[in-house]
Amino acid sequence: MHTSSTMILLFSGAKGTLKRNDAFMSVEFMRRAIALGIENVRSGGGGPFAAVVVHEGRVVAEGVNRVTTTNDPTAHAEVVAIREACRNLETFQLSGCDLYTTCEPCPMCLGAIYWARPARVFYACVASDAAAVGFDDAFIYEELKRGHDERQLPMQQLLREESLAIFALWKEQEKKTHY
């Protein structure tokens, strides 16, 4: 594991050991995410992205891009970190948590973040920084603005009436967890 000497001084050890004021903690947690991203690139572990989830001043989850190492196109750093945080906190919502990510989230990650409902998101680089090194998701934002019949990926609706039965059944359920 390679970490800079600055990282060693600012982040002492594994998850859950940080106790400082909010402004300093924000910088510390972002530096931890950056260190994870650097380590992931150097080790050949995946893309140059990393994320950290913090709850009540301690790291509860970390994630790095694992798309190519797991053959999972959804294994972006933010999604990996959100999944781990939810497992560790035994919840499907990250209320009261902060997410630190090394880059402005892509559309998929942004969707996952909104579903997870953290209190705040901090990011380092912006989408144009990622695009400059080959990670350009602008086309997805453009596709979302188009009608289904105008998108590059063909989409066709099938069996809506049959599928509505699932929603009707859900609506009738008395014991359900809303999210």
Side-chain angles (χ1 to χ4, degrees):
M1 179 170 132
H2 176 80
T3 56
S4 70
S5 58
T6 304
M7 184 54 59
I8 293 168
L9 293 173
L10 293 177
F11 188 87
S12 58
K15 301 173 192 169
T17 60
L18 300 174
K19 303 269 190 219
R20 307 212 193 226
N21 68 48
D22 257 0
F24 188 75
M25 287 174 68
S26 297
V27 170
E28 244 181 300
F29 293 131
M30 185 59 78
R31 285 188 175 137
R32 177 63 184 154
I34 291 167
L36 288 168
I38 289 169
E39 179 182 330
N40 198 46
V41 171
R42 287 186 174 151
S43 71
F49 303 97
V52 173
V53 178
V54 176
H55 182 254
E56 295 179 352
R58 64 188 253 288
V59 175
V60 295
E62 297 175 339
V64 294
N65 184 287
R66 295 185 181 151
V67 171
T68 58
T69 58
T70 62
N71 294 319
D72 179 355
T74 68
H76 289 202
E78 296 91 336
V79 174
V80 170
I82 287 168
R83 287 174 180 161
E84 182 182 331
C86 289
R87 264 191 310 276
N88 291 342
L89 296 172
E90 299 179 344
T91 183
F92 59 88
Q93 292 185 342
L94 299 177
S95 305
C97 292
D98 291 334
L99 175 70
Y100 294 81
T101 181
T102 57
C103 191
E104 180 179 5
C106 75
M108 178 186 69
C109 292
L110 190 58
I113 290 165
Y114 271 95
W115 280 112
R117 295 179 173 90
R120 300 179 295 185
V121 176
F122 299 92
Y123 61 94
C125 294
V126 294
S128 61
D129 297 324
V133 295
F135 295 93
D136 191 358
D137 54 20
F139 78 95
I140 297 173
Y141 286 106
E142 290 304 314
E143 284 288 290
L144 291 173
K145 294 176 190 175
R146 300 172 196 250
H148 292 128
D149 59 338
E150 298 173 342
R151 294 181 181 166
Q152 291 179 24
L153 180 63
M155 298 181 78
Q156 183 177 346
Q157 186 176 25
L158 292 173
L159 303 177
R160 178 176 181 259
E161 292 303 317
E162 289 181 38
S163 188
L164 283 172
I166 303 166
F167 289 135
L169 183 61
W170 171 256
K171 187 176 180 180
E172 295 171 6
Q173 293 298 310
E174 290 182 24
K175 280 185 94 173
K176 58 187 166 197
T177 302
H178 292 278
Y179 60 95

